[in-house]
Amino acid sequence: MFRVRQWAAIVSVVAACGALPASITTPARAAEASIAVVVDEWSAGVWATAARGDHKALLDLLDKAPEGNPTLAKAVERLKADLAARDGKRAEEAARIRKELEETLAKDQGDLGLSQALRSAVALSLVVEDKASVPQEPRIKQLIQDADAAARAAEARGDWIMASELYYRLHLLLEEHGTYRDDVFRERRRLEIIRLYAPQRFWELRSQRRDAEIAWNKAHRKPEEPKGDRPDREDQDANQPLPPYNPTGDDFRQKLNGVDAGMVLEALGRGVAKHVERTPMEKVLRNALDAVRTVVTTTDLAPTFAGLADEKARAEMLRFLAAEDERIAKRQAAADNADLLSLVDRLMDANERTVKIPKVALLHEFGNGGMDALDEFSAIIWPDEIRRFNKNTQGHFFGVGIQIEQDPLGNIKVVAPIEGTPAHRAGVRSGDLIKKVNGASTIGFTLDQAVDNITGPLDTKVVITLEREEIGEDGKTTRAEIEMPLVRARIEVSTVKGWKKAGPGEDNWDWFMDPANKIGYVRITNFAEKTDGEFDRAISQMKAQGLTGLVMDLRFNPGGLLDQAVAISNRFIDPSTPNPFQNRIVSTHRKDGAVVEKQTARRAAARLSGVPVVVLINEGSASASEIVSGALRDYAGADAGVRALLVGERTFGKGSVQNVWPLRGAADAAVKVTTNYYHLPGGAMIHRLPAATRWGVDPNLTVNMLPQQIADALRARSNSDVTRNDGKPDPARVEAEKTEASGLPAVGPDLQLEHAWVLLLSQVARPTNQALLDQPTPTRANP
């Protein structure tokens, strides 16, 4: 810590020599002014050191913070202690996982043992500092080879669940290289097909896999395992059978209602015409045929599609598909929409002669396969998907207004009703269990099933049956069933959240994580139609109370609307400040690099120009959130009026533009096609292309967290997002309030958030006058 008395003595001498302005009339005031300069230089040094990503130098500089601010001193002390605790836990977890891995590899345990060993290897890669070194270890290299062979053997014998599991864990281990990306996608698509057309068979496959794992755990794990602070959700689930299958809402005919050939033809034709990579029609047609081949070769669909049980019919259909594929591969001229139409007609005829798959199912899979040939983000938005798509982009949906989760026993549980909604007015409470929807039991429901059955068209009726725990006057607990008829209404979904709820309203937030130093916090969950308005209201409330610095949390933000990303960026970027980017926030480019469109900043929108902001990012930050974080980093790096730091980990790398077109004659279906790529103001492309070594947006300061810390941090944020209305105390909130009573925000295990707060504190917290000088004596200044 700097000694302020030494600075006071030096400045007093300088003042006596007449070297300070006449307006400084005392050595104390002169000392205070000089120390302010020192503090400013230290603050600037902290910011610059974090900006260049030197974590060690940053901690050294924080250790030398000027005296006089006890909050800053406690904050630095806690940060160092939390970092040491993380590193200790890292070493402990790595040792535990290595031991578990060695024990698993030492036994001949078949596919399940290989999968468990892969799981341990993935866990190890997420704990150690050098993730890339794990796959290079000799034992893990051998594990990868063995698991690869096992995955391909499982796929060949039709064990789709095991093949998918092995491929997925191999992909997680080698994700940087993308080695198993196509394998994961192929098996995921097959399982999606089974889930759609044979949901009970899908449940049976999952149940068999779960039972096998329970037996494996009993045979190979010690009673005290797993170790650690508490078992993770996967450990808990792995030792419980699946709940019974529930068929409610699982009829594929209802889901595919409205799908027709015109819809598929238009979607694929537009995809080929508009795709950024100008993917040829031939590739689309061959991929579409391959998707149909997947359906025909998946014998688990036979209970639904009886024709697949006929070996002769199946073989004839496969011969047709092979012949068509060969014909397309050999053709000289480019295929076009006429060839697409002709192929669909021939496909329908061949299907009727052979396996007789329902036409709507064949079209659905042909369409999905064709769109998959473009890229992973281009797709047909089918009628049963349009509601969820609109909810994510428009920020509203039609339902009853309850936030739900699935508890460890598989119950659909109310987290909280949203204020002012039908559920809130009817008296739904936090902790209620939803046992029935329209008389149908929810046992075995997935969350998606629950959402699909509770939501629906505007002004329609839905009846939910709740199970509520009541405590009587005698202290005994009883459970009562309550039937609630509700009418669906338009539910607005807030995309901008604060530090903690201040009341039941969707926009009723306490925005300050550090009220004493006026450091605000906003978390943007996604970028929807009204995100900028919500953000502006939050900023207005904070500025009215003296906002000095802001944490903007974009972690796990999957993106959203481009105009909203531009609007939020513009709140920090003032075009009147000279910059080398011609005020550009983002530009869209064709494959050849040609500029298609530029989005630039408007002066009137820059409400936060010059306010220090720390943006939190991680691998879950994608698309629009990458545009915002990347633009702020570029402007800050160019010293163009933006005081921003990025803290966390590299973002996802989804920097492609999807245009959405409604399909003619289908008011409830659309097609989205990747048409361009985003470039940041400095020229970098965000998107992760195949074989790319650079993508996404890198933080200024990399701060990694252990998996359990991430899970705990997410849980803490989730707890802060709701206001319970059941009258029960929230233990997490009580614990947080104890921490906040000490003058420090309750950042819990969230090291990234803690770094953000300390960095902002270094910019806005000033030493007190008493700390600057002890009882200064006024003197006359030289005339």
Side-chain angles (χ1 to χ4, degrees):
M1 296 285 186
F2 287 124
R3 293 294 177 186
V4 294
R5 288 192 185 200
Q6 295 172 349
W7 285 107
I10 294 170
V11 176
S12 296
V13 171
V14 174
C17 296
L20 290 176
S23 59
I24 299 178
T25 58
T26 69
R29 290 179 62 187
E32 188 171 341
S34 180
I35 293 167
V37 172
V38 172
V39 172
D40 287 343
E41 289 179 351
W42 175 84
S43 296
V46 168
W47 201 256
T49 303
R52 67 174 185 266
D54 192 336
H55 197 267
K56 184 179 183 303
L58 174 65
L59 293 178
D60 289 343
L61 197 51
L62 288 172
D63 264 340
K64 299 173 183 175
E67 286 184 344
N69 192 309
T71 301
L72 181 58
K74 285 195 292 184
V76 172
E77 182 181 356
R78 185 175 73 170
L79 176 62
K80 290 165 61 182
D82 288 346
L83 286 169
R86 178 203 61 185
D87 293 342
K89 188 68 175 175
R90 187 199 305 279
E92 177 185 319
E93 283 293 290
R96 179 187 66 80
I97 295 168
R98 284 190 183 280
K99 181 182 177 183
E100 178 185 275
L101 179 60
E102 289 300 321
E103 290 174 351
T104 305
L105 289 173
K107 304 168 185 174
D108 181 12
Q109 299 165 352
D111 290 353
L112 274 170
L114 285 172
S115 183
Q116 292 295 333
L118 275 178
R119 181 187 170 197
S120 294
V122 171
L124 183 63
S125 72
L126 295 174
V127 167
V128 300
E129 290 193 74
D130 185 6
K131 179 179 179 178
S133 68
V134 174
Q136 302 305 315
E137 296 181 16
R139 291 297 299 273
I140 295 180
K141 275 188 175 181
Q142 185 61 51
L143 170 63
I144 291 169
Q145 292 178 19
D146 294 344
D148 180 281
R152 302 197 186 283
E155 186 175 12
R157 67 175 181 268
D159 189 348
W160 318 121
I161 295 283
M162 180 54 70
S164 177
E165 184 176 304
L166 289 169
Y167 283 136
Y168 179 65
R169 288 177 172 173
L170 284 165
H171 172 68
L172 290 178
L173 195 56
L174 297 168
E175 194 272 338
E176 290 279 325
H177 308 284
T179 309
Y180 289 93
R181 179 185 172 279
D182 291 343
D183 300 299
V184 169
F185 186 84
R186 180 180 64 253
E187 288 308 303
R188 185 185 71 193
R189 180 63 85 188
R190 188 189 298 271
L191 289 174
E192 287 173 351
I193 289 171
I194 299 173
R195 172 72 182 86
L196 176 60
Y197 300 111
Q200 185 164 359
R201 178 56 181 158
F202 180 71
W203 177 89
E204 290 169 357
L205 293 171
R206 291 178 59 232
S207 185
Q208 291 166 9
R209 172 66 184 84
R210 176 65 58 81
D211 291 345
E213 185 164 7
I214 291 172
W216 188 94
N217 286 337
K218 286 181 179 178
H220 296 95
R221 281 191 173 175
K222 297 174 184 178
E224 69 271 17
E225 290 181 322
K227 301 288 188 182
D229 293 335
R230 61 176 171 273
D232 63 22
R233 179 61 184 265
E234 190 172 352
D235 280 319
Q236 294 173 358
D237 288 348
N239 289 291
Q240 295 179 5
L242 289 182
Y245 169 64
N246 190 325
T248 305
D250 261 355
D251 188 342
F252 78 88
R253 295 169 187 83
Q254 293 178 359
K255 292 183 178 181
L256 303 190
N257 184 38
V259 173
D260 59 31
M263 180 185 298
V264 173
L265 293 170
E266 182 184 352
L268 295 181
R270 192 178 290 272
V272 169
K274 299 294 186 180
H275 193 245
V276 61
E277 297 288 338
R278 296 296 181 258
T279 303
M281 179 66 81
E282 293 86 350
K283 182 178 179 181
V284 170
L285 297 181
R286 295 185 71 186
N287 224 63
L289 289 172
D290 192 52
V292 175
R293 185 180 295 107
T294 297
V295 175
V296 176
T297 57
T298 304
T299 53
D300 291 288
L301 298 175
T304 305
F305 304 147
L308 295 182
D310 184 335
E311 290 290 340
K312 183 178 178 181
R314 216 155 49 90
E316 186 178 344
M317 184 62 167
L318 289 173
R319 283 194 295 272
F320 165 79
L321 294 172
E324 289 293 332
D325 185 70
E326 184 178 8
R327 184 182 62 79
I328 297 169
K330 289 181 175 179
R331 66 177 291 143
Q332 300 296 316
D336 56 19
N337 286 346
D339 295 294
L340 170 62
L341 175 60
S342 176
L343 175 59
V344 169
D345 286 342
R346 292 195 301 276
L347 177 65
M348 294 298 126
D349 290 342
N351 179 60
E352 283 304 306
R353 293 194 311 270
T354 59
V355 290
K356 294 181 173 58
I357 295 170
K359 181 180 178 180
V360 68
L362 205 63
L363 287 169
H364 187 266
E365 299 318 313
F366 185 89
N368 278 340
M371 293 302 294
D372 287 345
L374 303 180
D375 66 89
E376 62 183 306
F377 302 110
S378 296
I380 300 172
I381 306 168
W382 301 101
D384 68 307
E385 299 168 340
I386 201 75
R387 263 201 335 237
R388 193 169 290 127
F389 178 80
N390 287 338
K391 173 186 174 182
N392 291 335
T393 57
Q394 296 172 0
H396 69 261
F397 65 96
F398 301 125
V400 299
I402 46 177
Q403 298 168 301
I404 59 175
E405 65 181 5
Q406 200 160 26
D407 71 13
L409 297 178
N411 293 306
I412 304 300
K413 184 178 181 181
V414 175
V415 176
I418 300 172
E419 187 187 30
T421 63
H424 182 262
R425 290 192 295 269
V428 175
R429 296 182 190 171
S430 302
D432 286 345
L433 302 181
I434 301 175
K435 305 303 287 186
K436 297 178 185 177
V437 178
N438 288 331
S441 171
T442 60
I443 294 174
F445 258 25
T446 63
L447 276 179
D448 281 346
Q449 275 180 294
V451 170
D452 289 343
N453 282 276
I454 295 172
T455 59
L458 181 65
D459 293 332
T460 57
K461 183 179 177 181
V462 60
V463 179
I464 61 173
T465 304
L466 305 174
E467 181 182 290
R468 178 173 297 168
E469 184 181 276
E470 299 277 12
I471 301 176
E473 294 181 2
D474 58 0
K476 293 182 178 179
T477 300
T478 60
R479 290 187 175 276
E481 270 203 0
I482 305 168
E483 193 172 273
M484 286 191 176
L486 302 170
V487 177
R488 297 180 177 108
R490 176 175 167 135
I491 309 298
E492 300 293 336
V493 181
S494 173
T495 61
V496 178
K497 300 181 184 296
W499 180 243
K500 60 183 177 183
K501 289 304 292 287
E506 270 289 275
D507 58 353
N508 197 346
W509 291 95
D510 181 346
W511 299 104
F512 287 104
M513 66 177 295
D514 182 351
N517 291 289
K518 303 302 181 185
I519 296 174
Y521 172 90
V522 292
R523 177 162 57 93
I524 303 178
T525 58
N526 64 292
F527 291 87
E529 286 181 354
K530 298 179 180 179
T531 297
D532 57 346
E534 294 175 31
F535 186 81
D536 285 342
R537 285 193 293 275
I539 296 306
S540 293
Q541 291 178 39
M542 284 186 274
K543 290 185 79 171
Q545 298 178 58
L547 175 70
T548 60
L550 182 68
V551 176
M552 184 163 62
D553 196 341
L554 298 181
R555 294 173 297 180
F556 301 104
N557 180 321
L561 301 178
L562 172 62
D563 67 320
Q564 293 297 303
V566 171
I568 298 302
S569 302
N570 201 167
R571 298 303 184 264
F572 302 90
I573 298 171
D574 185 351
S576 66
T577 303
N579 65 79
F581 310 120
Q582 299 177 314
N583 302 329
R584 189 169 61 254
I585 292 174
V586 66
S587 53
T588 55
H589 296 246
R590 293 200 300 262
K591 180 185 178 181
D592 61 6
V595 177
V596 175
E597 186 179 12
K598 298 178 183 178
Q599 300 282 346
T600 56
R602 297 182 299 107
R603 182 173 183 177
R607 303 184 61 201
L608 291 168
S609 177
V611 174
V613 57
V614 177
V615 184
L616 299 179
I617 55 174
N618 66 5
E619 290 181 335
S621 308
S623 192
S625 54
E626 294 178 282
I627 291 172
V628 174
S629 55
L632 296 190
R633 173 163 183 167
D634 280 357
Y635 272 81
D639 196 21
V642 173
R643 293 191 64 197
L645 287 175
L646 274 55
V647 170
E649 298 184 271
R650 180 173 62 178
T651 60
F652 182 81
K654 194 274 181 185
S656 56
V657 184
Q658 280 75 48
N659 285 79
V660 179
W661 291 275
L663 296 172
R664 290 192 298 272
D668 54 355
V671 60
K672 62 173 182 174
V673 181
T674 299
T675 55
N676 298 294
Y677 294 122
Y678 292 125
H679 285 220
L680 294 173
M685 187 170 80
I686 300 168
H687 199 64
R688 182 179 184 178
L689 294 171
T693 56
R694 292 187 61 83
W695 63 84
V697 178
D698 289 314
N700 295 103
L701 186 68
T702 297
V703 177
N704 56 60
M705 292 164 57
L706 300 178
Q708 190 61 58
Q709 289 179 315
I710 295 171
D712 289 344
L714 284 170
R715 191 176 295 108
R717 286 292 91 220
S718 177
N719 289 337
S720 297
D721 287 350
V722 298
T723 301
R724 298 180 65 93
N725 69 338
D726 57 359
K728 296 180 180 179
D730 182 349
R733 189 66 247 150
V734 171
E735 192 62 32
E737 287 170 357
K738 288 181 183 177
T739 302
E740 290 169 352
S742 70
L744 302 178
V747 295
D750 195 337
L751 279 171
Q752 294 166 350
L753 179 59
E754 188 171 7
H755 275 80
W757 174 62
V758 171
L759 286 167
L760 289 170
L761 197 61
S762 75
Q763 305 304 297
V764 304
R766 315 304 296 179
T768 62
N769 289 338
Q770 182 62 40
L772 290 172
L773 291 171
D774 291 339
Q775 299 178 347
T777 303
T779 61
R780 292 181 180 275
N782 289 333

